């Protein structure tokens, strides 16, 4: 794992990472569930460098793409994104670099990837690996908001022989089975490390004079930031005004 140390500066791998990397390097498809912060991205980034060619990374949010691309560039990795936050000239320049073989990892949203024109163009390039982040969007309610996630099932036929990694931090057994069938036709190696995050705690209290409860909760944590969710804009403005008046 020379790339692990030389590029990313790590001496050791975390639980599950080596197994995930070996699966992809052997040419097998991979469905992995790992908690947030456990190093899912490294599972495909290291194989991408080892395998050479071009790795496609499907990501649902521009901010996630930008963060990963920026981190990879700092590590000296040729990574770029094509997305709506960049103007057309910048996206064209990135594509030209990819076509010349100058980019190792190319990030795109499923909406931009799953067009006939883009798929046809990518099919002419040496695509060695495909990684799909937030893969749970393929299942259940996801396609209702991002229908192109469900269309990612076409990638298996468009890029035959190219290993695909589907990564998520949250997918129960039913969701995993759905992803495995839709995206891989059932032919996939699954690596499930769970999605428990011991640094997160969930508690529930009976509602009784909710404004007073909320105010007490906030005042007990004077130096902590947080988010209050409300069911409507009107309620949001009402709670915001109440907290401002009593802070």
């Amino acid at each position: 794992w020379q790339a692990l140390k030389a590029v990313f500066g790590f001496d050791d791998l975390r639980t599950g990472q080596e197994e995930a990397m070996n699966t992809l390097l052997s040419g097998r498809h991979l469905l992995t569930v790992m908690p947030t912060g456990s190093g899912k991205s490294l599972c495909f980034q290291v194989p991408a460098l080892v395998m050479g060619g071009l790795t496609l990374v499907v990501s649902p949010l521009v901010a996630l793409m930008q963060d990963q691309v920026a981190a990879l560039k700092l590590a000296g990795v040729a990574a770029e994104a094509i997305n709506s936050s960049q103007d057309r000239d910048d996206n064209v320049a990135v594509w030209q670099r990819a076509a010349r073989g100058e980019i190792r990892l190319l990030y795109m949203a499923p909406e931009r990837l799953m067009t006939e024109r883009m798929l046809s163009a990518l099919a002419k390039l040496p695509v060695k690996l495909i990684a799909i982040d937030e893969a749970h969007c393929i299942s259940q309610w996801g396609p209702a908001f991002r229908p192109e996630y469900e269309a990612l099932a076409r990638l298996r036929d468009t890029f035959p022989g190219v290993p695909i990694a589907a990564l998520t931090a949250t997918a129960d057994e039913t969701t995993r089975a759905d992803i495995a069938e839709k995206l891989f036709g059932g032919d996939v190696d699954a690596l499930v490390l769970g999605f428990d995050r011991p640094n997160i705690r969930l508690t529930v209290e009976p509602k009784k004079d909710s404004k007073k409860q909320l105010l007490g909760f906030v005042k007990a944590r004077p130096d902590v930031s947080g988010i209050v969710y409300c069911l409507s804009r009107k309620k949001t403005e009402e709670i915001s005004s109440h907290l401002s008046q009593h802070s």
Side-chain angles (χ1 to χ4, degrees), residues 190-207:
L191 175 62
V192 181
L193 300 185
F195 40 84
D196 177 46
R197 296 175 64 184
N199 60 321
I200 295 179
R201 183 179 60 178
L202 180 65
T203 60
V204 178
E205 293 183 15
K207 182 177 177 180

Side-chain angles (χ1 to χ4, degrees), residues 113-128:
L113 172 61
M114 299 309 295
T115 65
E116 294 299 332
R117 184 177 180 183
M118 180 60 75
L119 290 174
S120 177
L122 285 168
K124 299 173 184 176
L125 301 185
V127 176
K128 301 294 185 182

Side-chain angles (χ1 to χ4, degrees), residues 97-115:
R97 287 191 62 206
R100 292 195 298 266
E102 298 173 3
I103 294 175
R104 295 277 75 80
L105 292 101
L106 179 61
Y107 286 71
M108 280 186 283
E111 290 82 0
R112 191 171 292 269
L113 172 61
M114 299 309 295
T115 65

Side-chain angles (χ1 to χ4, degrees), residues 37-212:
S38 61
K40 289 189 300 297
S41 298
L42 211 62
C43 292
F44 65 82
Q45 289 172 348
V46 171
L49 300 182
V50 173
M51 297 166 80
L54 179 65
T55 289
L56 302 176
V57 185
V58 183
S59 182
L61 298 174
V62 170
L64 293 177
M65 294 187 212
Q66 291 174 331
D67 286 349
Q68 288 203 21
V69 168
L72 286 167
K73 284 183 173 180
L74 283 175
V77 177
E80 293 288 355
I82 295 178
N83 60 49
S84 59
S85 73
Q86 301 170 169
D87 61 36
R88 184 178 184 279
D89 289 343
D90 289 338
N91 282 331
V92 169
V94 170
W95 173 254
Q96 290 173 341
R97 287 191 62 206
R100 292 195 298 266
E102 298 173 3
I103 294 175
R104 295 277 75 80
L105 292 101
L106 179 61
Y107 286 71
M108 280 186 283
E111 290 82 0
R112 191 171 292 269
L113 172 61
M114 299 309 295
T115 65
E116 294 299 332
R117 184 177 180 183
M118 180 60 75
L119 290 174
S120 177
L122 285 168
K124 299 173 184 176
L125 301 185
V127 176
K128 301 294 185 182
L129 178 62
I130 300 172
I132 300 172
D133 204 6
E134 308 296 339
H136 55 271
C137 292
I138 295 168
S139 179
Q140 297 179 351
W141 53 263
F145 299 94
R146 307 290 291 266
E148 284 76 12
Y149 252 93
E150 202 164 38
L152 294 173
R154 294 179 54 198
L155 293 175
R156 191 173 76 251
D157 296 325
T158 305
F159 300 95
V162 175
I164 299 174
L167 308 103
T168 177
T170 171
D172 59 17
E173 187 175 351
T174 300
T175 302
R176 295 196 301 271
D178 197 24
I179 295 170
E181 184 56 38
K182 287 181 177 177
L183 188 60
F184 302 106
D187 184 21
V188 61
D189 290 358
L191 175 62
V192 181
L193 300 185
F195 40 84
D196 177 46
R197 296 175 64 184
N199 60 321
I200 295 179
R201 183 179 60 178
L202 180 65
T203 60
V204 178
E205 293 183 15
K207 182 177 177 180
K208 184 178 180 181
D209 193 352
S210 59
K211 289 183 179 179
K212 183 177 180 180

